[in-house]
C-alpha cells in the first residue's frame, strides 16, 4: 500500500550513506506502464466469484473483479517471542529503518565521545546484530565501515574502541549460499574484528543490554533484529492454501493449489525448488523472484 518500489538489497548501503535513500526507491508510476495503480490493502478474496476486497486509507471498501490474480505481497520481518524485543530492538526491513539506524549509530558516537562514564561509553559503542543472513551481515559490515570512517572525528570514542557482535542461532552464516562461500564471508568478517557468535540466540533484550543464550549479558544500546522474514500476515485473510510456514502453496508453474486463475510469487509463495527435487522451496532471494515474475507473465 505504498507508491514506490524499494530495492531491499540496497538497504545496507542506504543505512551507511554509500547510496542516497532516494536512489534505492523508484515510484511505481514510473515503472508500471498501462497499469491502474490503486493504493490500499486487500482484505478479502472470494475465489469463486473472482473478486478481491480493497480497503483504502480512509477505510472505504470496494470489490475488484479479476480475470487473473497474482499474489506478490512479499514478507515482513520475522518476530519471535523474545522478551523486550519489540521495545528495545530495531528491525531492518524498510527505508525508515535504514535511515533511523544510520542516525542512531552517529548519535551513539556523539554521546560516547562526550560522556565521562566508561560503563555508558561501553554500552554506546557496542552494536549487536541478530541474524546471520544477507541482511544481518551486509547491514553490520556497512555500518561498521561508516563508524570506522567517522571515528577520527571522535577521539575519546576512538580511544575506547567499538564492539560489533553478530549473533546467529545456526552453526553457520548465509544459509542461502554454498558452505564454502559462507565460510569465506565468516573469515573476512572476523578478520575485520567482528565478534561472530554461532549457535547462539538472543534470549532477552533490555534498554541497555542484550542477554544471550550463553547467559552472557552484553551492555549495548543497539540491537538490530535481522533474524529472517515471514510471509505477509495478510495472506491469512485471502482464502488461499498455506503451508506450515504461512506461505501460499503453488506448483512449479506458481499456480495456487486448487484455485483457477490465481498465482503467487516471491517471498510469500512456497515455489518448489527444482534443485531440491520437490522437497523444498526456493529461498526468498531476488535471484529467484526476478525469474518467477516473467515465468508467470
Amino acid at each position: 500500500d505504498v507508491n514506490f518500489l524499494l530495492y531491499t538489497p540496497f538497504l545496507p548501503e542506504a543505512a551507511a550513506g554509500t547510496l542516497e535513500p532516494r536512489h534505492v526507491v523508484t515510484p511505481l508510476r514510473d515503472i508500471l506502464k498501462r497499469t491502474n495503480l490503486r493504493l490500499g490493502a486487500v482484505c478479502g478474496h472470494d475465489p469463486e466469484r473472482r473478486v478481491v476486497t480493497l480497503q483504502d486509507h480512509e477505510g472505504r471498501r470496494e470489490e475488484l473483479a479479476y480475470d487473473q490474480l497474482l499474489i506478490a505481497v512479499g514478507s515482513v520481518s520475522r518476530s519471535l517471542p523474545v522478551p523486550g524485543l519489540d521495545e528495545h530492538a530495531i528491525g531492518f526491513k524498510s527505508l525508515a529503518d535504514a535511515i533511523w539506524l544510520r542516525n542512531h549509530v552517529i548519535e551513539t558516537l556523539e554521546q560516547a565521545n562526550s560522556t565521562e562514564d566508561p560503563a555508558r561509553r561501553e554500552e554506546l559503542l557496542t552494536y549487536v546484530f541478530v541474524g546471520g543472513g544477507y541482511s544481518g551481515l551486509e547491514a553490520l559490515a556497512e555500518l561498521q565501515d561508516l563508524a570506522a570512517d567517522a571515528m577520527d572525528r571522535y577521539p575519546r570514542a576512538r580511544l575506547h574502541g567499538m564492539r560489533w557482535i553478530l549473533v546467529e542461532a545456526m552453526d553457520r552464516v548465509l544459509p542461502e549460499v554454498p558452505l564454502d562461500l559462507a565460510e569465506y564471508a565468516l573469515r573476512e568478517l572476523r578478520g575485520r574484528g567482528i565478534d561472530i557468535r554461532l549457535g547462539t540466540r538472543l534470549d532477552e533484550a533490555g534498554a541497555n543490554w542484550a542477554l544471550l543464550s550463553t547467559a552472557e549479558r552484553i551492555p549495548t544500546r543497539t540491537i538490530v533484529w535481522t533474524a529472517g522474514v515471514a510471509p505477509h500476515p495478510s495472506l491469512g485473510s485471502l482464502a488461499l492454501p498455506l503451508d506450515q510456514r504461512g506461505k501460499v502453496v503453488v506448483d512449479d508453474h506458481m499456480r495456487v493449489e486448487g484455485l483457477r486463475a490465481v498465482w503467487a510469487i516471491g517471498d510469500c509463495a512456497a515455489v518448489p525448488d527444482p534443485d531440491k527435487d520437490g522437497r523444498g522451496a526456493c529461498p526468498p532471494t531476488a535471484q529467484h523472484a526476478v525469474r518467477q515474475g516473467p515465468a508467470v507473465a
Side-chain angles (χ1 to χ4, degrees):
D1 63 349
V2 293
N3 63 349
F4 60 82
L5 169 66
L6 170 65
Y7 292 94
T8 307
F10 287 147
L11 278 181
E13 286 78 7
T18 308
L19 292 175
E20 289 290 335
R22 61 190 177 88
H23 291 159
V24 303
V25 295
T26 298
L28 288 175
R29 292 188 182 277
D30 285 355
I31 58 176
L32 296 178
K33 309 302 181 184
R34 297 182 299 164
T35 301
N36 182 11
L37 179 63
R38 301 289 297 275
L39 297 185
V42 175
C43 56
H45 172 219
D46 186 339
E48 291 297 323
R49 297 170 52 222
R50 292 195 184 186
V51 297
V52 294
T53 302
L54 176 72
Q55 178 173 300
D56 68 17
H57 293 168
E58 296 181 354
R60 293 189 297 257
R61 295 191 176 195
E62 66 174 304
E63 289 188 339
L64 301 176
Y66 65 83
D67 295 316
Q68 305 286 334
L69 176 64
L70 175 60
I71 308 294
V73 296
S75 59
V76 297
S77 293
R78 183 182 64 179
S79 183
L80 295 177
V82 175
L85 183 66
D86 292 339
E87 296 87 353
H88 304 298
I90 176 70
F92 198 71
K93 188 65 176 171
S94 70
L95 188 58
D97 292 338
I99 294 171
W100 184 93
L101 195 52
R102 180 176 189 272
N103 293 337
H104 172 75
V105 168
I106 294 173
E107 180 66 19
T108 59
L109 296 178
E110 292 284 354
Q111 293 185 33
N113 201 64
S114 61
T115 186
E116 301 293 338
D117 183 353
R120 183 166 180 260
R121 189 178 292 131
E122 178 71 13
E123 296 170 2
L124 290 163
L125 295 178
T126 300
Y127 307 91
V128 178
F129 285 68
V130 183
Y134 280 123
S135 296
L137 263 64
E138 274 200 272
L140 187 155
E142 288 283 355
L143 285 164
Q144 189 206 33
D145 272 345
L146 167 69
D149 289 343
M151 263 300 189
D152 286 342
R153 302 177 182 88
Y154 304 97
R156 299 174 74 187
R158 184 177 70 248
L159 186 63
H160 183 97
M162 296 182 293
R163 290 179 70 195
W164 293 82
I165 301 171
L166 178 73
V167 177
E168 169 53 50
M170 298 175 62
D171 59 359
R172 59 166 292 183
V173 296
L174 297 175
E176 304 92 345
V177 305
L179 184 58
D180 59 335
L181 291 178
E183 290 179 342
Y184 170 78
L186 191 65
R187 290 193 301 271
E188 289 292 310
L189 293 172
R190 283 178 166 159
R192 291 171 50 169
I194 296 171
D195 183 359
I196 299 180
R197 312 288 186 89
L198 299 178
T200 306
R201 302 182 310 277
L202 175 70
D203 275 359
E204 190 172 354
N208 57 1
W209 50 267
L211 179 64
L212 305 185
S213 57
T214 57
E216 181 181 0
R217 190 184 181 102
I218 297 174
T220 181
R221 299 289 183 94
T222 307
I223 302 175
V224 184
W225 180 262
T226 64
V229 296
H232 199 285
S234 65
L235 294 172
S237 63
L238 299 185
L240 301 168
L242 306 179
D243 66 8
Q244 68 274 14
R245 294 165 298 171
K247 291 190 172 189
V248 183
V249 180
V250 299
D251 62 17
D252 55 2
H253 289 79
M254 288 150 285
R255 182 184 289 107
V256 175
E257 184 180 82
L259 297 180
R260 296 175 300 136
V262 184
W263 317 78
I265 63 173
D267 288 6
C268 73
V271 180
D273 189 339
D275 290 337
K276 298 176 182 176
D277 297 323
R279 293 190 299 270
C282 295
T285 61
Q287 293 93 328
H288 289 279
V290 296
R291 289 193 288 265
Q292 293 168 11
V296 168

